[in-house]
Amino acid sequence: MPHPAIALPRLMAHRGLSAHAPENTLTAVRAACEAGFPWVELDVQLLGDATPVIWHDATVRRCSDGRARLVDLDLPRARRLDTGAWFCDRFRGERMATLREMLALIEELGMGLNLELKVTRGRNPAALVDSVLPTLLDALPPERLILSSFHDGALARARELADSSRLALGVLFEGIGREWQSRCAAVDAYSVHANWKRLSQRGAHAVREAGYHLLCYTANDPTAFAHQWAWGVESVISDDPACFVDHLPE
């Protein structure tokens, strides 16, 4: 079955424009759009009350004024957290975004979304997918959406609920090992998302020759990355994509 006709951008803003605004927030996504980057990579997981929120870590310690585990929070408690002041005082008062709020903003701005399913230790991947996917598919058209994960079970559940014509799946890798192709084939993947520091020319060529799109995360040094464009990388996910603008291939 064919995959969606996605016009992959050369550059995606990692967790929104996270070099200049608190990651995974509505403000960071607005900043990416204002800077001219129409695709963002974000993370989603569940609070303890099963509310899907845009958040990366298993706890709120790093990116808020709280100390709790996400699984121990319900939405009212999560809303009381300041998720901006840790980054810079001018972002004081930023609040954790729910998936619905974020999708409404992305649709309003006409942006594309690469959404990573974050399955932290002890959490149920099927519960995450079952909660996220209907809302996601209702909000965005197939050509502006990639759902990605390191977790094979989460990707398999997503594929059970949506075929490849409706939903592009991206398989995340730290390194392109021997099992990469079987993992991609099992979920009829659209793309491979590789750690740029562990990507080899041989691995990149194998991915492209097998017909998969190739994205790299999280590159912030355009000079060090430059030779990888020739390997067939199509998109770079960066905290500061503007630094790549003058270093893109023809």
Side-chain angles (χ1 to χ4, degrees), residues 22 24-31 94-95 97-98 101-103 105:
N24 277 319
T25 61
L26 299 172
T27 296
V29 170
R30 290 191 190 96
E94 187 81 31
R95 300 300 170 192
T98 66
E101 289 169 336
M102 187 61 78
L103 291 174
L105 176 63

Side-chain angles (χ1 to χ4, degrees), residues 160-183:
E160 287 177 14
L161 299 179
D163 66 37
S164 58
S165 68
R166 180 62 187 89
L167 179 64
L169 293 181
V171 186
L172 278 153
F173 294 89
E174 279 291 342
I176 306 296
R178 281 180 286 184
E179 82 294 345
W180 78 268
Q181 196 160 4
S182 62
R183 288 184 63 197

Side-chain angles (χ1 to χ4, degrees), residues 9-220:
R10 280 296 194 185
L11 302 170
M12 290 187 186
H14 181 239
R15 304 179 194 170
L17 200 64
S18 59
H20 301 282
E23 66 179 57
N24 277 319
T25 61
L26 299 172
T27 296
V29 170
R30 290 191 190 96
C33 184
E34 290 168 4
F37 303 106
W39 274 74
V40 289
E41 184 272 351
L42 302 171
D43 305 288
V44 66
Q45 52 182 310
L46 300 181
L47 294 175
D49 64 1
T51 302
V53 291
I54 305 302
W55 201 256
H56 179 273
D57 296 357
T59 77
V60 298
R61 180 182 295 268
R62 182 174 62 87
C63 295
S64 84
D65 58 352
R67 294 293 182 268
R69 298 184 305 163
L70 220 62
V71 71
D72 295 328
L73 294 174
D74 58 15
L75 186 57
R77 287 185 64 199
R79 287 291 202 201
R80 291 197 287 270
L81 299 172
D82 187 314
T83 61
W86 69 273
F87 187 88
C88 178
D89 194 62
R90 70 187 178 93
F91 295 110
R92 186 174 300 279
E94 187 81 31
R95 300 300 170 192
M96 186 182 294
T98 66
L99 176 65
R100 287 186 181 276
E101 289 169 336
M102 187 61 78
L103 291 174
L105 176 63
I106 287 172
E107 179 59 20
E108 174 191 332
L109 298 175
M111 298 180 77
L113 173 62
N114 170 15
L115 185 66
E116 181 182 344
L117 297 163
K118 295 297 294 187
V119 183
T120 58
R121 182 176 297 180
R123 306 304 299 272
N124 185 328
L128 175 60
V129 175
D130 290 352
S131 180
V132 166
L133 200 57
T135 303
L136 192 61
L137 296 179
D138 284 346
L140 296 178
E143 63 272 16
R144 289 198 281 120
L145 176 62
I146 300 172
L147 188 65
S148 61
S149 188
F150 285 101
H151 197 285
D152 292 346
L155 292 171
R157 179 59 179 162
R159 182 54 78 222
E160 287 177 14
L161 299 179
D163 66 37
S164 58
S165 68
R166 180 62 187 89
L167 179 64
L169 293 181
V171 186
L172 278 153
F173 294 89
E174 279 291 342
I176 306 296
R178 281 180 286 184
E179 82 294 345
W180 78 268
Q181 196 160 4
S182 62
R183 288 184 63 197
C184 290
V187 296
D188 193 8
Y190 167 83
S191 54
V192 166
H193 302 199
N195 182 338
W196 78 279
K197 291 182 178 179
R198 296 185 61 182
L199 183 65
S200 67
Q201 183 174 6
R202 180 178 179 180
H205 287 172
V207 168
R208 295 311 310 275
E209 287 170 5
Y212 297 103
H213 298 275
L214 180 58
L215 291 72
C216 280
Y217 69 90
T218 305
N220 294 315

Side-chain angles (χ1 to χ4, degrees), residues 229-245:
W229 291 115
W231 296 354
V233 175
E234 294 171 84
S235 294
V236 162
I237 301 166
S238 176
D239 297 324
D240 193 9
C243 71
F244 280 84
V245 168

